[in-house]
Amino acid sequence: IFIEILDINDNIPTFKEHSIKIEMAESTPPSTRFQLLPAHDDDVGSNSRLKYSLSSTSDDNLYLTTTKHFDRETIDRYDLEVIVSDNGTPRLSSTLQVEIRILDINDNPPVFYNDTYRFYVLENTTIGALIGRISAYDLDDGVNSNITYKLLHLNIIGNALRTVNSNIISIDAVNGDVLLESVLDYESDKYYHYTVEASDCGVPTLSAYTQVSILVQDSNDNFPHISL
Ligand SMILES: [Ca+2]
Ligand SMILES: [Ca+2]
Ligand SMILES: [Ca+2]
Ligand SMILES: [Ca+2]
């Protein structure tokens, strides 16, 4: 007597885990393949011949393949479901939850809230006074969006354009506060012009620049000339 034991489809194909988390850099190009652990089915023949949806497959490998460019600033997370089914009758299947986190890349420079800045300061303002604030934002995440501010150069326009070494103002590197650092005199210099740089802390660093004008306002500090 020859007894042939026929397989029935009594095993569901299963993934080792119900859910997985994958991290992909924002800069991951399309057509990048991420290998996933394949499902397992204890049956034989077509009862264990597995087919995945939402994936490209080969005989024994399961891949997720990226099809487009990511932008973490627009979408930073994708939730997918991979379905595996065998080829038995009835067809049995199970699912794998896949959470994809898009990791930030420094692809946005800082942006100033204003195109240019103009501060009016009375000439008798005390040294150390807050005369304005310069502020920028950055769409990236973490250090890629941490901004530091810096004064680049100074041109005074009184009657002629010239550059001086001593700073009339300083800028707080962290919060962009602009402080007066020197005594002003409307009668000698009415206008100061700076370039301010905002840089993020990404690698490589991205920077933006803005123009800042300080306009000195006259206060009544000159005695009238009296002719006798
Ligand atoms: Ca099966
Ligand atoms: Ca981006
Ligand atoms: Ca980014
Ligand atoms: Ca940035």
Side-chain angles (χ1 to χ4, degrees):
I1 293 176
F2 175 75
I3 299 171
E4 187 184 9
I5 298 175
L6 297 173
D7 183 44
I8 60 161
N9 194 18
D10 56 351
N11 285 289
I12 301 171
T14 48
F15 290 103
K16 214 171 170 192
E17 328 239 25
H18 291 297
S19 66
I20 58 166
K21 288 180 184 173
I22 299 174
E23 291 180 334
M24 296 186 190
E26 188 180 355
S27 55
T28 304
S31 301
T32 304
R33 296 206 302 176
F34 288 82
Q35 187 167 8
L36 305 181
L37 282 177
H40 180 78
D41 189 313
D42 281 332
D43 294 317
V44 298
S46 65
N47 290 339
S48 69
R49 195 176 311 135
L50 305 183
K51 186 171 166 255
Y52 303 96
S53 55
L54 188 79
S55 61
S56 65
T57 62
S58 65
D59 287 345
D60 50 13
N61 287 316
L62 168 61
Y63 293 101
L64 287 181
T65 305
T66 61
T67 57
K68 61 166 200 165
H69 289 286
F70 296 120
D71 181 27
R72 188 209 61 84
E73 286 70 57
T74 312
I75 301 174
D76 65 356
R77 174 181 166 162
Y78 295 86
D79 289 288
L80 311 175
E81 195 175 71
V82 177
I83 302 161
V84 59
S85 45
D86 61 26
N87 203 28
T89 310
R91 195 168 287 229
L92 301 175
S93 65
S94 61
T95 59
L96 170 69
Q97 308 297 324
V98 181
E99 176 189 320
I100 298 171
R101 286 269 177 195
I102 306 301
L103 302 181
D104 189 42
I105 292 292
N106 191 26
D107 57 351
N108 289 281
V111 177
F112 287 98
Y113 284 101
N114 295 359
D115 289 340
T116 59
Y117 290 81
R118 177 173 285 224
F119 301 131
Y120 295 89
V121 188
L122 273 174
E123 63 176 322
N124 59 0
T125 301
T126 52
I127 291 175
L130 176 71
I131 58 176
R133 176 170 289 166
I134 290 168
S135 195
Y137 62 91
D138 189 304
L139 290 172
D140 293 312
D141 193 30
V143 294
N144 293 337
S145 68
N146 286 358
I147 296 174
T148 57
Y149 301 92
K150 193 167 127 191
L151 285 178
L152 286 192
H153 58 79
L154 163 62
N155 297 316
I156 298 178
I157 302 174
N159 293 318
L161 179 97
R162 65 184 195 273
T163 301
V164 296
N165 293 324
S166 67
N167 273 341
I168 299 296
I169 61 168
S170 65
I171 188 164
D172 187 298
V174 176
N175 63 21
D177 280 356
V178 177
L179 305 177
L180 187 64
E181 291 294 330
S182 179
V183 173
L184 299 173
D185 182 18
Y186 175 81
E187 281 69 28
S188 61
D189 290 306
K190 299 174 176 57
Y191 180 87
Y192 298 87
H193 186 75
Y194 290 83
T195 299
V196 169
E197 178 187 60
S199 303
D200 64 29
C201 300
V203 180
T205 291
L206 299 176
S207 299
Y209 303 89
T210 190
Q211 306 300 317
V212 182
S213 303
I214 311 291
L215 290 100
V216 181
Q217 307 276 279
D218 192 21
S219 61
N220 192 15
D221 59 351
N222 284 301
F223 290 105
H225 295 284
I226 300 169
S227 7
L228 297 170

mmCIF file of all heavy atoms in Angstrom, residues 26 71-73 103-108 138-141 144, ligand 3:
data_model
loop_
_atom_site.group_PDB
_atom_site.id
_atom_site.type_symbol
_atom_site.label_atom_id
_atom_site.label_comp_id
_atom_site.label_asym_id
_atom_site.label_seq_id
_atom_site.Cartn_x
_atom_site.Cartn_y
_atom_site.Cartn_z
ATOM 1 N N GLU A 26 15.979 61.666 4.239
ATOM 2 C CA GLU A 26 15.201 62.500 3.320
ATOM 3 C C GLU A 26 15.812 62.496 1.922
ATOM 4 O O GLU A 26 15.115 62.644 0.928
ATOM 5 C CB GLU A 26 15.186 63.922 3.902
ATOM 6 C CG GLU A 26 14.293 64.898 3.217
ATOM 7 C CD GLU A 26 14.373 66.267 3.877
ATOM 8 O OE1 GLU A 26 15.048 66.413 4.911
ATOM 9 O OE2 GLU A 26 13.760 67.183 3.339
ATOM 10 N N ASP A 71 10.460 64.487 0.995
ATOM 11 C CA ASP A 71 10.694 65.798 1.589
ATOM 12 C C ASP A 71 10.149 65.744 3.008
ATOM 13 O O ASP A 71 8.937 65.803 3.213
ATOM 14 C CB ASP A 71 10.005 66.896 0.762
ATOM 15 C CG ASP A 71 10.259 68.273 1.349
ATOM 16 O OD1 ASP A 71 11.303 68.458 2.011
ATOM 17 O OD2 ASP A 71 9.404 69.162 1.162
ATOM 18 N N ARG A 72 11.067 65.637 3.979
ATOM 19 C CA ARG A 72 10.635 65.508 5.370
ATOM 20 C C ARG A 72 9.807 66.703 5.805
ATOM 21 O O ARG A 72 8.921 66.595 6.651
ATOM 22 C CB ARG A 72 11.860 65.361 6.295
ATOM 23 C CG ARG A 72 11.518 65.019 7.740
ATOM 24 C CD ARG A 72 12.549 65.564 8.697
ATOM 25 N NE ARG A 72 12.624 67.004 8.611
ATOM 26 C CZ ARG A 72 11.804 67.840 9.261
ATOM 27 N NH1 ARG A 72 10.893 67.359 10.073
ATOM 28 N NH2 ARG A 72 11.918 69.135 9.105
ATOM 29 N N GLU A 73 10.102 67.881 5.197
ATOM 30 C CA GLU A 73 9.383 69.090 5.579
ATOM 31 C C GLU A 73 7.912 69.020 5.148
ATOM 32 O O GLU A 73 7.081 69.789 5.633
ATOM 33 C CB GLU A 73 10.052 70.321 4.976
ATOM 34 C CG GLU A 73 11.363 70.696 5.665
ATOM 35 C CD GLU A 73 12.494 69.726 5.403
ATOM 36 O OE1 GLU A 73 12.851 69.480 4.250
ATOM 37 O OE2 GLU A 73 13.006 69.158 6.400
ATOM 38 N N LEU A 103 14.151 60.718 7.879
ATOM 39 C CA LEU A 103 15.126 61.450 8.701
ATOM 40 C C LEU A 103 15.576 62.716 7.979
ATOM 41 O O LEU A 103 15.774 62.715 6.762
ATOM 42 C CB LEU A 103 16.337 60.556 8.994
ATOM 43 C CG LEU A 103 16.010 59.242 9.698
ATOM 44 C CD1 LEU A 103 17.291 58.458 9.966
ATOM 45 C CD2 LEU A 103 15.266 59.495 11.013
ATOM 46 N N ASP A 104 15.740 63.783 8.766
ATOM 47 C CA ASP A 104 16.013 65.086 8.169
ATOM 48 C C ASP A 104 17.404 65.167 7.540
ATOM 49 O O ASP A 104 18.382 64.640 8.060
ATOM 50 C CB ASP A 104 15.888 66.174 9.245
ATOM 51 C CG ASP A 104 15.935 67.557 8.638
ATOM 52 O OD1 ASP A 104 15.291 67.741 7.586
ATOM 53 O OD2 ASP A 104 16.606 68.433 9.198
ATOM 54 N N ILE A 105 17.450 65.859 6.418
ATOM 55 C CA ILE A 105 18.693 66.281 5.771
ATOM 56 C C ILE A 105 18.660 67.813 5.742
ATOM 57 O O ILE A 105 17.585 68.405 5.626
ATOM 58 C CB ILE A 105 18.759 65.704 4.323
ATOM 59 C CG1 ILE A 105 18.921 64.195 4.355
ATOM 60 C CG2 ILE A 105 19.869 66.363 3.506
ATOM 61 C CD1 ILE A 105 20.251 63.719 4.900
ATOM 62 N N ASN A 106 19.827 68.425 5.852
ATOM 63 C CA ASN A 106 19.870 69.895 5.868
ATOM 64 C C ASN A 106 19.727 70.441 4.450
ATOM 65 O O ASN A 106 20.714 70.757 3.798
ATOM 66 C CB ASN A 106 21.173 70.367 6.511
ATOM 67 C CG ASN A 106 21.147 71.856 6.802
ATOM 68 O OD1 ASN A 106 20.081 72.434 6.974
ATOM 69 N ND2 ASN A 106 22.318 72.464 6.836
ATOM 70 N N ASP A 107 18.500 70.553 3.980
ATOM 71 C CA ASP A 107 18.265 71.005 2.601
ATOM 72 C C ASP A 107 17.510 72.339 2.542
ATOM 73 O O ASP A 107 17.039 72.725 1.480
ATOM 74 C CB ASP A 107 17.542 69.922 1.777
ATOM 75 C CG ASP A 107 16.226 69.499 2.383
ATOM 76 O OD1 ASP A 107 15.929 69.902 3.520
ATOM 77 O OD2 ASP A 107 15.489 68.759 1.721
ATOM 78 N N ASN A 108 17.414 73.024 3.685
ATOM 79 C CA ASN A 108 16.788 74.353 3.695
ATOM 80 C C ASN A 108 17.695 75.361 4.399
ATOM 81 O O ASN A 108 18.103 75.124 5.536
ATOM 82 C CB ASN A 108 15.447 74.316 4.437
ATOM 83 C CG ASN A 108 14.387 73.565 3.664
ATOM 84 O OD1 ASN A 108 13.797 74.087 2.739
ATOM 85 N ND2 ASN A 108 14.189 72.308 4.031
ATOM 86 N N ASP A 138 14.011 78.282 9.987
ATOM 87 C CA ASP A 138 14.605 77.237 9.148
ATOM 88 C C ASP A 138 13.657 76.041 9.171
ATOM 89 O O ASP A 138 13.267 75.579 10.242
ATOM 90 C CB ASP A 138 15.975 76.864 9.719
ATOM 91 C CG ASP A 138 16.759 75.944 8.795
ATOM 92 O OD1 ASP A 138 16.249 74.861 8.429
ATOM 93 O OD2 ASP A 138 17.893 76.292 8.457
ATOM 94 N N LEU A 139 13.280 75.572 8.015
ATOM 95 C CA LEU A 139 12.246 74.526 7.922
ATOM 96 C C LEU A 139 12.743 73.143 8.333
ATOM 97 O O LEU A 139 11.940 72.231 8.534
ATOM 98 C CB LEU A 139 11.713 74.448 6.486
ATOM 99 C CG LEU A 139 10.871 75.644 6.021
ATOM 100 C CD1 LEU A 139 10.571 75.519 4.525
ATOM 101 C CD2 LEU A 139 9.578 75.727 6.818
ATOM 102 N N ASP A 140 14.067 72.973 8.441
ATOM 103 C CA ASP A 140 14.590 71.658 8.782
ATOM 104 C C ASP A 140 14.346 71.324 10.251
ATOM 105 O O ASP A 140 13.626 72.035 10.951
ATOM 106 C CB ASP A 140 16.088 71.582 8.436
ATOM 107 C CG ASP A 140 16.318 71.660 6.940
ATOM 108 O OD1 ASP A 140 15.628 70.936 6.204
ATOM 109 O OD2 ASP A 140 17.176 72.449 6.516
ATOM 110 N N ASP A 141 14.976 70.245 10.710
ATOM 111 C CA ASP A 141 14.720 69.717 12.044
ATOM 112 C C ASP A 141 16.024 69.702 12.843
ATOM 113 O O ASP A 141 17.108 69.592 12.261
ATOM 114 C CB ASP A 141 14.172 68.285 11.896
ATOM 115 C CG ASP A 141 13.596 67.766 13.188
ATOM 116 O OD1 ASP A 141 13.099 68.573 13.991
ATOM 117 O OD2 ASP A 141 13.659 66.538 13.404
ATOM 118 N N ASN A 144 19.868 71.016 12.189
ATOM 119 C CA ASN A 144 19.729 71.554 10.829
ATOM 120 C C ASN A 144 18.873 72.812 10.793
ATOM 121 O O ASN A 144 18.826 73.511 9.782
ATOM 122 C CB ASN A 144 19.122 70.505 9.893
ATOM 123 C CG ASN A 144 20.057 69.327 9.668
ATOM 124 O OD1 ASN A 144 21.258 69.469 9.844
ATOM 125 N ND2 ASN A 144 19.501 68.194 9.282
HETATM 126 CA CA CA B 3 15.226 68.788 5.563
#
